[in-house]
Amino acid sequence: MPEHSGLRHWVERSWYAPRPHPALRPLTALYALVTGLRRGVYRAGLLRSTHPGVPVIVVGNLTAGGTGKTPLVLWLAEQLRARGRKPGIVLRGYGGRQRAPRVVRADDDAQQVGDEALLLARRGICPVAIGARRTAAAQLLADSGCDLVIADDGLQHLALRRDLAIVVVDGERGFGNGSLLPAGPLRESSQRLRSADVVVMHGE
């Protein structure tokens, strides 16, 4: 375990160095090929995005790691509730063993549903659903009475069709060395900002 942790820290440090580490560049080319093909498959209609029938707001980022998405998701849910809407939050449930879509309860086990999902559920602002298939989890929220779905960290999840895309950018670290994973921190090119509906800068 310590060896894996040391490797992860080395990779993350290289993301914010002036130039990508040359040893990681071949893997970045492979990553770019795979993600490009995946987008192309959706663009060509060979795989289809599905919609739960209520508006979907996706909050995500372009870089690996946290950029302040979850606080923004909570703020959005609070603002929407104050305006009479019935939002629900959907996320993958990373860190938990649960794969089937389900609504998270405040007394759930974090090992089943994941720490982040449990934290959101315990805030009690609105229903929270998880699932390996986020489209099914979003549909579960819509079927249970939510009139709007907020997807936490769903920008690259193309199976869920969205009505509004919000990209959160780390104002302090930006896009690092500007390379795609694993040579850099980018999940997709920074050109993606051009198609975002809203860009939020988190921090200075």
Side-chain angles (χ1 to χ4, degrees):
M1 185 68 72
E3 292 181 3
H4 292 297
S5 177
L7 177 62
R8 186 181 72 249
H9 289 147
W10 173 80
V11 169
E12 290 178 356
R13 282 198 306 272
S14 74
W15 289 350
Y16 297 96
R19 291 183 179 85
H21 196 284
L24 298 172
R25 287 176 181 170
L27 295 175
T28 288
L30 179 61
Y31 176 87
L33 175 64
V34 171
T35 54
L37 286 173
R38 179 169 170 267
R39 286 194 170 276
V41 166
Y42 274 97
R43 204 176 295 120
L46 300 176
L47 287 177
R48 294 186 179 278
S49 300
T50 59
H51 196 271
V54 298
V56 175
I57 300 174
V58 166
V59 179
N61 61 3
L62 300 185
T63 55
T67 55
K69 298 183 304 297
T70 300
L72 178 58
V73 166
L74 286 168
W75 181 84
L76 279 172
E78 289 174 338
Q79 296 301 311
L80 288 162
R81 278 196 59 184
R83 287 159 175 75
R85 302 303 296 263
K86 298 176 182 177
I89 298 172
V90 64
L91 65 165
R92 169 65 178 81
Y94 289 111
R97 294 191 291 263
Q98 181 74 32
R99 294 187 58 81
R102 60 164 290 186
V103 174
V104 180
R105 301 187 306 270
D107 60 351
D108 274 332
D109 184 351
Q111 292 185 350
Q112 287 292 330
V113 301
D115 291 332
E116 189 173 25
L118 189 58
L119 173 67
L120 289 168
R122 286 178 174 173
R123 291 295 295 269
I125 297 172
C126 64
V128 176
I130 61 168
R133 292 178 58 239
R134 272 173 276 196
T135 52
Q139 191 63 59
L140 186 63
L141 290 173
D143 293 344
S144 65
C146 293
D147 64 5
L148 186 146
V149 171
I150 306 171
D152 187 348
D153 196 22
L155 191 65
Q156 287 80 30
H157 188 71
L158 302 179
L160 180 61
R161 184 154 33 102
R162 67 286 314 266
D163 300 285
L164 186 77
I166 301 175
V167 178
V168 184
V169 177
D170 187 326
E172 181 180 351
R173 299 194 298 176
F175 300 132
N177 58 29
S179 292
L180 294 173
L181 291 166
L186 288 173
R187 299 176 177 181
E188 54 185 315
S189 168
S190 58
Q191 299 300 314
R192 176 69 171 81
L193 288 179
R194 295 180 178 179
S195 61
D197 298 295
V198 180
V199 177
V200 176
M201 190 72 70
H202 181 251
E204 295 295 332

